Amino acid sequence: DRLQGILFPPVIVLETGSPPSAAGAADASAGAPVALLFVPGLLFMSFLFMAQGIAEDLWVEREAHTLRRAIIAPPSPGGVLLGKLLAGAGVMLLVAGVGLAVAFAWFHLSWPQYPGALGWSVFSGTFLLTMFFALHVHVPTRRAASVLSTALVFPLMMLGGSFFPFEAMPAWMVAIGRWTPNGWALARLKDLLLDRADPAHLARSAGMLAAVGVGLFLLAARRLGASFARG
């Protein structure tokens, strides 16, 4: 009898919510299965490793002197680099195609979103490859290129949502990670998977990636023909 005034109605009200550090990211992905939030990060982790390995192949060909022979053939240095870029995109298409198909089937996602998610994944992965091409051809030695690319890959994966989804990261890391190349592209892929992508925003993002990617490609092709392949 003495506790009735406290218990009915209760004087303490329980309110539930997300931790302040991840509130913004959690609101954006409310209702999504936790395992699904890891899919884009794992996919972009594989892209970063593939881009690093394919770009290092330039050093393999340089040391074997096949690259020097290739650039004096009728295709220009840009053509040689474009061939490598398309080959890398083909590998990424295979990996992304299988990975996303499994994710769409397992999580019962909307299949009409599959082509867009696949196209964006390969497009973003190709951009990462041009970034590593530009890095490798501007470094003086293969060892330095390997060390530098590795030193770049792991922070990008940590901040860009590959080790942990943005929803589980502190707010200050999310603020930085969303502006990394892979983190920015990853956020767009997540929107496509959850069927909430804004076509206008996606088009602007694609245009920005394409503009920067073309610039990096031209920079790498120029360096490739000017001194890298002949070194």
Side-chain angles (χ1 to χ4, degrees), residues 30-45:
V34 175
L36 177 59
L37 301 179
F38 284 87
V39 171
L42 293 174
L43 189 60
F44 274 89
M45 181 188 293

Side-chain angles (χ1 to χ4, degrees), residues 87-210:
V91 176
M92 292 179 179
L93 176 64
L94 178 62
V95 172
V98 174
L100 288 175
V102 172
F104 270 75
W106 185 268
F107 295 106
H108 306 288
L109 302 178
S110 175
W111 282 99
Q113 299 297 116
Y114 178 81
L118 179 60
W120 177 258
S121 299
V122 177
F123 176 72
S124 304
T126 305
F127 170 81
L128 295 175
L129 183 53
T130 62
M131 185 175 72
F132 279 91
F133 277 157
L135 183 148
H136 274 264
V137 298
H138 284 89
V139 178
T141 66
R142 180 178 181 178
R143 182 180 179 84
S146 179
V147 171
L148 185 60
S149 62
T150 301
L152 180 64
V153 162
F154 283 95
L156 285 178
M157 289 193 297
M158 175 63 75
L159 294 171
S162 289
F163 287 157
F164 306 100
F166 286 142
E167 291 76 10
M169 292 168 58
W172 68 269
M173 289 185 69
V174 174
I176 298 173
R178 288 187 182 277
W179 287 101
T180 60
N182 55 312
W184 194 54
L186 182 150
R188 306 289 83 75
L189 175 59
K190 192 175 294 182
D191 289 340
L192 286 166
L193 293 179
L194 300 178
D195 198 8
R196 65 185 186 204
D198 178 10
H201 189 198
L202 194 63
R204 288 194 299 270
S205 300
M208 293 176 66
L209 280 185

Side-chain angles (χ1 to χ4, degrees), residues 12 16 24 43 46 59-61 95 103 129 133 154 165 186 188 207 214 217-218:
I12 299 177
T16 61
L43 189 60
S46 68
W59 284 98
V60 176
E61 291 205 39
V95 172
L129 183 53
F133 277 157
F154 283 95
L186 182 150
R188 306 289 83 75
V214 168
F217 178 84
L218 294 176

